[in-house]
Amino acid sequence: MTPPATHAARPARLKVLAAMSGGVDSAVAAARAAAAGHDVTGVHLALSANPKSFRTGARGCCTVEDSHDARRAADVIGIPFYVWDLAERFREDVVEDFVSEYAAGRTPNPCLRCNEKIKFAALLDKALALGFDAVCTGHYAKVLTRADGSRELHRAADAAKDQSYVLGVLDERQLAHAMFPLGDTETTKAEIRAEAAERGLFVAEKPDSHDICFIADGDTQGFLARRLGAAEGDVVDESGTRVGTHSGAYGFTVGQRKGLALGHPAPDGRPRYVLDISPVDNTVTVGPAASLDVEALTALSPRWCGTPPAGPGAYTAQLRAHGGETAVTAEVVGAELRVSFAEPVRGVAPGQAVVLYDGTRVVGSATIASTRRAGAPVA
């Protein structure tokens, strides 16, 4: 376990670009940055080429209403405000990536990809080119500075609201220019809303957005069907016996139980779950819950929030945005991150991110490429 870092030692006054989604968290974050004495400018990212086609209400980044709400919040805070069009970059790096990952039988996390490619790549690069020192967002996480000046990403003070998992793609350079004013907040969401109301921010009562921002009606399977088209195939059990059909393997994810529409019940009468998705032969394999147990995984494209680990080490890992931690041993072998679980875990899908932690510190993340089920022989 590494020694604890100290709180980020920054100059008293920074030139800060606050990404304002139109939601309450980013508005309060911008207000806190301004109240701390920083020179803050608000920016709303226009991520849809046709925002009027997206659902009204609390979407968090993609509607005309969100842009207006962000502007009103900036006016109340008393900071300059702009709208930047990143729709084409978002389409290429997030939406098309999302579609292609599902087409390949994997389960991506678009929020994680957006943080990596949009908020802390495209946005940060533009901000630095314009002379800003930092990008401020409403994420719940902390950036701390070590004695040697290096930066670390840590879990938020309030574990229930922690969002460090979707920030695990940030490298040390990006962390050096990241500001998360809500990271030290040990308050309920109701108290954040109360703070917004006290500051006169109209978005104080605006509902949170929990689904994928670029899927207007929340129907992921329908969205993928429109993009990829129908592709009928077989649903088979572990022995290869056909037990049903599907209209597109992209409509399933590992661990899924509902919506399988199987014509043949399991011999033991117990529920069956999606175990594997094969885009090569357009087959979905189902089986009992016990067959979901995974004891190890291999992940690719690791990104480190600081110095990469040397040799095998003991960590905890998080496998989904709202999942818990599990004890693991992890080691970098060539271009791969190999992770072994102390106890088998279920529902691990290729395409998801595995994020490693050392205590509250985020070590880094990688994209899961393959898994080894409990009891399977080691290759």
Side-chain angles (χ1 to χ4, degrees):
M1 184 101 36
T2 58
T6 59
H7 283 275
R10 297 180 181 272
R13 182 177 173 83
L14 295 174
K15 188 175 181 182
V16 175
L17 185 68
M20 303 181 69
S21 68
V24 63
D25 288 333
S26 61
V28 171
R32 287 186 178 185
H38 299 301
D39 178 9
V40 180
T41 297
V43 62
H44 179 80
L45 305 183
L47 302 180
S48 170
N50 185 19
K52 291 185 178 179
S53 69
F54 283 22
R55 176 172 48 183
T56 59
R59 300 298 306 128
C61 65
C62 294
T63 68
V64 172
E65 290 98 323
D66 291 318
S67 176
H68 292 168
D69 289 344
R71 182 178 297 277
R72 291 176 66 179
D75 288 344
V76 171
I77 298 168
I79 59 175
F81 178 82
Y82 300 91
V83 175
W84 287 359
D85 183 0
L86 292 179
E88 184 61 22
R89 182 76 180 264
F90 183 77
R91 182 189 66 79
E92 293 176 356
D93 290 342
V94 180
V95 180
E96 296 302 331
D97 174 80
F98 178 83
V99 173
S100 63
E101 285 292 285
Y102 265 102
R106 296 186 288 266
T107 304
N109 185 312
C111 293
L112 190 146
R113 192 66 61 233
C114 183
N115 285 327
E116 176 188 359
K117 299 291 188 178
I118 304 301
K119 294 175 183 173
F120 291 96
L123 176 63
L124 177 58
D125 289 346
K126 188 172 182 178
L128 295 177
L130 291 173
F132 288 93
D133 301 304
V135 166
C136 165
T137 73
H139 288 100
Y140 289 86
K142 293 191 289 187
V143 177
L144 305 182
T145 301
R146 299 191 58 77
D148 62 2
S150 62
R151 299 295 174 88
E152 295 180 350
L153 177 64
H154 284 252
R155 287 194 183 278
D158 186 345
K161 294 198 291 290
D162 175 64
Q163 292 176 303
S164 60
Y165 174 85
V166 296
L167 297 170
V169 292
L170 304 186
D171 60 28
E172 189 174 346
R173 170 187 168 273
Q174 293 167 324
L175 291 175
H177 300 285
M179 179 182 290
F180 306 123
L182 304 187
D184 289 323
T185 300
E186 294 190 64
T187 57
T188 65
K189 190 57 176 279
E191 289 170 317
I192 289 291
R193 294 189 183 282
E195 178 180 340
E198 291 172 2
R199 293 180 181 277
L201 299 173
F202 170 77
V203 293
E205 298 303 321
K206 186 173 181 179
D208 291 331
S209 177
H210 297 290
D211 47 6
I212 299 171
C213 70
F214 55 83
I215 299 181
D217 56 5
D219 179 8
T220 300
Q221 188 167 353
F223 173 83
L224 291 169
R226 291 190 293 273
R227 299 295 296 269
L228 298 172
E232 293 188 1
D234 293 334
V235 179
V236 301
D237 63 18
E238 290 179 282
S239 69
T241 301
R242 182 172 177 269
V243 295
T245 61
H246 63 77
S247 58
Y250 52 75
F252 300 87
T253 188
V254 171
Q256 178 179 335
R257 174 184 173 184
K258 297 181 179 180
L260 301 183
L262 302 179
H264 302 276
D268 60 7
R270 294 182 178 180
R272 286 182 287 199
Y273 300 79
V274 174
L275 305 179
D276 186 56
I277 302 161
S278 175
V280 176
D281 56 11
N282 197 27
T283 298
V284 175
T285 302
V286 297
S291 293
L292 288 171
D293 287 347
V294 167
E295 63 183 15
L297 63 81
T298 298
L300 303 176
S301 304
R303 290 178 62 87
W304 306 110
C305 301
T307 304
Y315 305 96
T316 58
Q318 187 171 331
L319 299 166
R320 51 187 63 86
H322 303 291
E325 292 181 81
T326 185
V328 301
T329 300
E331 181 179 12
V332 178
V333 180
E336 299 178 346
L337 174 66
R338 297 180 184 176
V339 179
S340 298
F341 299 99
E343 298 289 340
V345 296
R346 289 185 174 177
V348 183
Q352 292 174 330
V354 54
V355 178
L356 298 181
Y357 292 84
D358 178 4
T360 64
R361 180 176 68 89
V362 182
V363 178
S365 69
T367 302
I368 299 170
S370 62
T371 62
R372 187 175 76 238
R373 292 181 186 158
V378 177

